[in-house]
Amino acid sequence: MASKTRQQNVTAAQWAGTGDGSGQSDITESAAAIYGENVFNIAAQKARLQKTVFTKLQKTLADGAPLDPALADAIADAMRSWAMEHGATHFTHWFQPLTNMTAEKHDSFFEPVGDGTALAAFSGKELIQGEPDASSFPTGGIRATFEARGYTAWDPTSPAFILENPNGSVLCIPTAFVSWTGEALDHKTPLLRSMDSLSSVALRALKLFGDKVAARVFTTVGPEQEYFLIDEQYFYERPDLYTTGRTLFGAKPPKGHELDEHYFGTIPERVLACMLETERELQRLGVPVKTRHNEVAPSQYELAPIFENSNVGSDHQQLTMQVLENVARRYGLVCLMHEKPFAGVNGSGKHNNWSMGTDSGQNLLEPGDTPAENIQFLFFCVAVIAAVDRHQELLRASVANVGQDHRLGANEAPPAIISIFLGRELERAFNAVASGKATDSAAGNFLGLGTPVLPPLPLHGGDRNRTSPFAFTGNKFEFRALGSSMSLGFVNTALNTIVAESIDMMVDEVEAAKKKGKKRPDAILDTIKKTWKAHKRIVFDGDGYADAWQKEAAARGLANLRTTPDALPWIVAKSTVQVFEQYNVLNERELEARFEVAVEQYSTKLNIEAETAASMARTMILPAAVRYLAECKEAGMTSLASELKSSADEFVKRLRVLEKANASHPAAEGLKEAEYMRDKVIPAMDKTRETADKLEGLVADDLWPLPKYSEMLFIK
Ligand code: ADP
Ligand code: MG
């Protein structure tokens, strides 16, 4: 009685897409232009709003001022009629609770009017504020469940869009989600606050450099998203995949990525069809998707958009993950966004390209053409360096989650130590400023700037270092330590906040020196010099995976927070609370809430993994081993039987240890429980897995109940 035969692989390989990604209309023709067609964007607003309303709305957005409630009714009505023409019957306030996912509660446009019929209506009030019964969103104790009220508030700076569904479409209105006391319960609220703070501080700095045109500074984000696509048949045959998103068992395949044939390789047709449709959907949603390629691991891919302001970029990133997952199913595929779906195979991350730019179009992290511009660049650049050094632990905490513990610090993703890669030229430039002397090697090329002279700055690109968690890449910093499943919200909130503080401190210093009679250019250079000297320990251009770096980093006093429970307390550390409160981003209570939610998610997710592992071990893997053992005995294969039996015995023993660990959580919740999960439960799971993977190599293939790594990763 074979429970599993390899014949199913043929079915998996013969995909019959119900999607329509290939053979679509040519989007290079203007008649087929689809970009933004499902977005209530500026063009749609212009076409549908009265001119005065449109102008006032645009002005409100440009100034970042609150919206005149008198406009809301007109805007809501225009939005509704636009949405209904696009097939929407419902609307929802679309928000981002602390789960890293998005939430939506749909309301119909139609309301009965008393004569047995219904009329479509959507008021300004409904547009501006919602009151979902939000008692079951994680709030880290901010709002006790009996006080279930949470408000959603329209974010007019992120355009509304339509999510299509086979049976009807929904108008989605991006909103912030706050408690009745005004505390943030989501990722958007603090991100917006941090963007505001950074803007005012950066404008203050720009004044030092004589900038008279910039009225606002935006932070920008361009995320690169890694993901796996596997056949859905395998996914649904594995309880670990569909309950936890990763394989809890599975021996390493004979073929891994040793051949290096996958990275940038030809994209299989089914996958390409799926990607094309994903991208088309995203384009219709106004997400500027740009790049696609194969990633390092088999069946791993990457997608990257063109950067946008942090708020819209973060919303779009959530949409991207959602669309990737939805469209994959139309091709008989499942998109895995877990940080480590397959042990022993490269995991998936997200690269957060980050910069600051003015509304007048200047990228503050772009080296300029003139020495003066370059000084301004060095000023902002060293502010980022100092911020990352000062708050390295917070940045580490901002990317901590249960999936990340398989990557950070292991030999693939960036190490758990936060450091910055600048590239040789830029590092040399800072050292030249600091010493006041030109370095010999580049003497001929120096741009004169009175004292000191500056070596040429890297013009686009510069050299690269793939192992660095935080790398300068020509005109932006790339924070590479994010996990593939993460929301961009908290990471960018943290970055904006700590950089705001850093810029502010530097401007204070320059102002103080000026008061003491220093000339402005000298005061600026002095500050750059001092800041560089104080924080250059965070700069490292060597191999981040090498053991030597662990030692070197320790000697430099850099933090090495290996696991999530090590890192999370930094969310509520004094230095974090201080900077978040000073820049009005999150208060202590709001930070505590985030800490509690993160800790709880860690323990809960691990508990689900551990219980799933125990149940699969007992009810799937062990029976397979026992059956095969009986067969061996029956066939008189004594030595084979005893080999198998000793592994099976070991398996039972380890499985019991795991079951016991699952049953004996400490009474205390919070960090104590998280540490228990890390120190007792994970090792028990690992041990159980180790023996299971050994058994996989011993038990007859037709008895093995789980699809194997080679099948999941190589049948496309
Ligand atoms: P790389 O391989 O160098 O990382 P990619 O093309 O894969 O290059 O990704 C670069 C990413 O950086 C893109 O998502 C792009 O939009 C983003 N990016 C470029 N300029 C900026 C900027 N000023 N601010 C934020 N992100 C940016
Ligand atoms: Mg990159």
Side-chain angles (χ1 to χ4, degrees):
M1 184 199 59
S3 64
K4 162 100 181 117
T5 71
R6 298 282 90 95
Q7 268 165 24
Q8 281 153 274
N9 293 341
V10 179
T11 329
Q14 281 169 343
W15 64 282
T18 50
D20 57 358
S22 30
Q24 267 307 296
S25 50
D26 181 0
I27 59 166
T28 58
E29 281 174 29
S30 59
I34 52 166
Y35 190 83
E37 74 179 12
N38 277 343
V39 186
F40 194 60
N41 51 23
I42 295 182
Q45 292 166 20
K46 198 170 190 175
R48 293 186 180 255
L49 290 171
Q50 258 183 17
K51 194 154 180 260
T52 49
V53 179
F54 174 76
T55 320
K56 274 192 204 159
L57 175 62
Q58 296 312 315
K59 185 159 164 32
T60 308
L61 296 183
D63 301 348
L67 187 84
D68 176 358
L71 301 181
D73 277 328
I75 298 170
D77 201 56
M79 231 187 233
R80 180 195 54 76
S81 68
W82 170 82
M84 289 180 71
E85 277 167 37
H86 284 73
T89 52
H90 288 65
F91 70 93
T92 181
H93 278 195
W94 185 81
F95 59 101
Q96 296 162 42
L98 301 180
T99 50
N100 270 340
M101 285 177 277
T102 54
E104 41 192 86
K105 174 191 150 217
H106 301 180
D107 279 301
S108 173
F109 285 130
F110 292 95
E111 277 168 29
V113 283
D115 63 356
T117 64
L119 260 188
F122 183 46
S123 68
K125 208 169 140 262
E126 287 172 301
L127 167 64
I128 289 182
Q129 196 180 84
E131 201 176 320
D133 172 20
S135 49
S136 32
F137 291 109
T139 59
I142 276 196
R143 195 202 49 222
T145 27
F146 60 83
E147 196 25 281
R149 259 183 306 170
Y151 291 104
T152 49
W154 179 36
D155 167 19
T157 60
S158 184
F161 56 91
I162 287 173
L163 270 189
E164 289 177 333
N165 195 283
N167 291 326
S169 302
V170 183
L171 168 68
C172 297
I173 299 154
T175 53
F177 180 43
V178 293
S179 78
W180 67 279
T181 45
E183 279 148 322
L185 300 174
D186 69 346
H187 286 305
K188 183 187 272 285
T189 309
L191 180 61
L192 287 169
R193 292 177 186 157
S194 73
M195 288 171 72
D196 275 343
S197 297
L198 185 129
S199 178
S200 52
V201 168
L203 287 174
R204 205 183 149 215
L206 281 171
K207 285 222 177 69
L208 283 182
F209 295 95
D211 187 312
K212 291 197 182 72
V213 287
R216 184 154 176 107
V217 172
F218 288 96
T219 51
T220 49
V221 69
E224 299 160 54
Q225 173 75 49
E226 294 180 343
Y227 59 95
F228 281 85
L229 289 173
I230 65 164
D231 193 278
E232 66 183 358
Q233 174 171 323
Y234 302 132
F235 180 83
Y236 289 110
E237 282 177 16
R238 299 205 49 138
D240 48 2
L241 275 181
Y242 63 73
T243 42
T244 73
R246 78 176 180 105
T247 54
L248 302 170
F249 300 100
K252 204 172 169 295
K255 179 176 167 187
H257 35 83
E258 293 89 352
L259 296 175
D260 275 336
E261 59 186 10
H262 193 71
Y263 191 59
F264 284 11
T266 319
I267 302 172
E269 190 176 306
R270 161 155 65 155
V271 171
L272 186 56
C274 174
M275 284 175 169
L276 285 169
E277 187 167 340
T278 303
E279 289 169 14
R280 222 184 40 221
E281 296 263 299
L282 287 169
Q283 285 174 344
R284 298 174 71 210
L285 288 164
V287 180
V289 281
K290 172 94 175 150
T291 315
R292 62 170 99 103
H293 63 76
N294 277 3
E295 257 304 326
V296 175
S299 287
Q300 190 186 32
Y301 310 95
E302 181 181 298
L303 177 148
I306 293 171
F307 69 94
E308 300 178 277
N309 82 56
S310 304
N311 178 39
V312 175
S314 298
D315 283 357
H316 281 170
Q317 167 63 198
Q318 295 299 121
L319 270 179
T320 301
M321 294 196 282
Q322 193 177 337
V323 170
L324 272 169
E325 285 177 339
N326 289 346
V327 174
R329 296 299 309 281
R330 297 178 205 157
Y331 292 84
L333 296 165
V334 170
C335 178
L336 302 177
M337 227 96 62
H338 192 281
E339 279 77 13
K340 192 75 176 178
F342 305 99
V345 175
N346 250 27
S348 299
K350 181 137 55 194
H351 291 180
N352 189 94
N353 293 277
W354 179 94
S355 189
M356 302 171 268
T358 65
D359 56 347
S360 45
Q362 190 188 7
N363 178 352
L364 300 180
L365 292 176
E366 171 107 47
D369 296 327
T370 65
E373 282 169 1
N374 278 332
I375 288 293
Q376 181 187 307
F377 158 75
L378 291 176
F379 183 92
F380 283 109
C381 187
V382 80
V384 179
I385 296 169
V388 172
D389 182 40
R390 234 178 248 124
H391 296 282
Q392 43 182 290
E393 299 92 344
L394 168 64
L395 287 180
R396 170 65 183 89
S398 76
V399 297
N401 75 23
V402 67
Q404 288 279 77
D405 285 8
H406 301 284
R407 301 175 65 237
L408 301 181
N411 263 358
E412 59 166 274
I417 306 163
I418 302 290
S419 67
I420 298 180
F421 172 79
L422 283 184
R424 218 173 325 122
E425 298 149 89
L426 190 51
E427 210 176 321
R428 206 196 285 145
F430 276 119
N431 283 329
V433 171
S435 65
K437 282 199 291 274
T439 45
D440 303 337
S441 54
N445 303 322
F446 279 21
L447 299 166
L449 187 84
T451 39
V453 285
L454 276 181
L457 296 178
L459 272 184
H460 278 277
D463 36 345
R464 299 236 151 186
N465 176 330
R466 284 177 63 89
T467 67
S468 176
F470 205 99
F472 181 72
T473 46
N475 57 359
K476 61 190 186 290
F477 279 98
E478 182 171 350
F479 189 17
R480 302 204 180 109
L482 283 73
S484 48
S485 74
M486 293 176 99
S487 141
L488 299 181
F490 189 63
V491 171
N492 287 281
T493 301
L495 267 173
N496 296 347
T497 309
I498 64 177
V499 173
E501 174 195 52
S502 193
I503 296 172
D504 215 15
M505 287 167 85
M506 288 176 64
V507 177
D508 282 347
E509 212 176 296
V510 174
E511 300 284 1
K514 268 170 50 191
K515 263 198 198 116
K516 282 197 200 132
K518 258 234 160 89
K519 284 210 185 96
R520 191 176 59 180
D522 293 335
I524 292 174
L525 274 173
D526 274 357
T527 298
I528 294 176
K529 200 188 285 194
K530 269 217 293 260
T531 312
W532 168 253
K533 281 189 179 156
H535 297 287
K536 67 176 182 189
R537 65 167 184 166
I538 194 82
V539 174
F540 173 66
D541 66 359
D543 179 2
Y545 300 166
D547 287 339
W549 172 231
Q550 307 267 328
K551 287 202 196 92
E552 159 87 16
R556 293 189 191 189
L558 301 181
N560 188 358
L561 304 166
R562 289 190 176 80
T563 67
T564 295
D566 294 329
L568 290 180
W570 285 92
I571 293 177
V572 286
K574 236 199 200 134
S575 54
T576 306
V577 175
Q578 195 271 326
V579 64
F580 272 76
E581 289 200 333
Q582 182 175 346
Y583 292 93
N584 301 315
V585 175
L586 287 168
N587 63 32
E588 185 163 13
R589 222 160 92 90
E590 291 171 310
L591 283 166
E592 267 166 14
R594 262 143 241 268
F595 167 71
E596 276 173 40
V597 171
V599 168
E600 193 190 307
Q601 293 236 326
Y602 176 85
S603 299
T604 307
K605 287 188 177 166
L606 266 174
N607 187 46
I608 295 171
E609 283 189 3
E611 289 189 1
T612 307
S615 126
M616 286 172 73
R618 198 177 264 281
T619 64
M620 296 178 89
I621 296 173
L622 188 57
V626 170
R627 278 179 204 155
Y628 188 53
L629 182 60
E631 275 187 27
C632 290
K633 281 190 179 149
E634 206 179 349
M637 304 296 284
T638 339
S639 90
L640 207 58
S642 79
E643 185 189 358
L644 188 63
K645 181 158 188 312
S646 72
S647 290
D649 284 341
E650 180 184 74
F651 189 59
V652 172
K653 218 188 281 160
R654 290 180 166 189
L655 160 62
R656 289 202 172 120
V657 174
L658 173 60
E659 288 172 338
K660 184 149 175 261
N662 285 346
S664 23
H665 286 207
E669 285 181 4
L671 201 58
K672 277 268 160 323
E673 187 178 21
E675 285 164 354
Y676 172 83
M677 300 307 288
R678 179 192 62 193
D679 299 335
K680 293 284 184 295
V681 175
I682 292 180
M685 267 204 289
D686 288 348
K687 287 274 176 217
T688 311
R689 177 186 187 137
E690 193 182 277
T691 314
D693 293 355
K694 193 155 77 182
L695 286 169
E696 186 182 319
L698 298 175
V699 171
D701 186 65
D702 64 332
L703 291 177
W704 195 252
L706 298 168
K708 296 181 174 179
Y709 270 30
S710 49
E711 300 174 284
M712 290 184 281
L713 291 170
F714 291 103
I715 293 176
K716 296 172 196 172

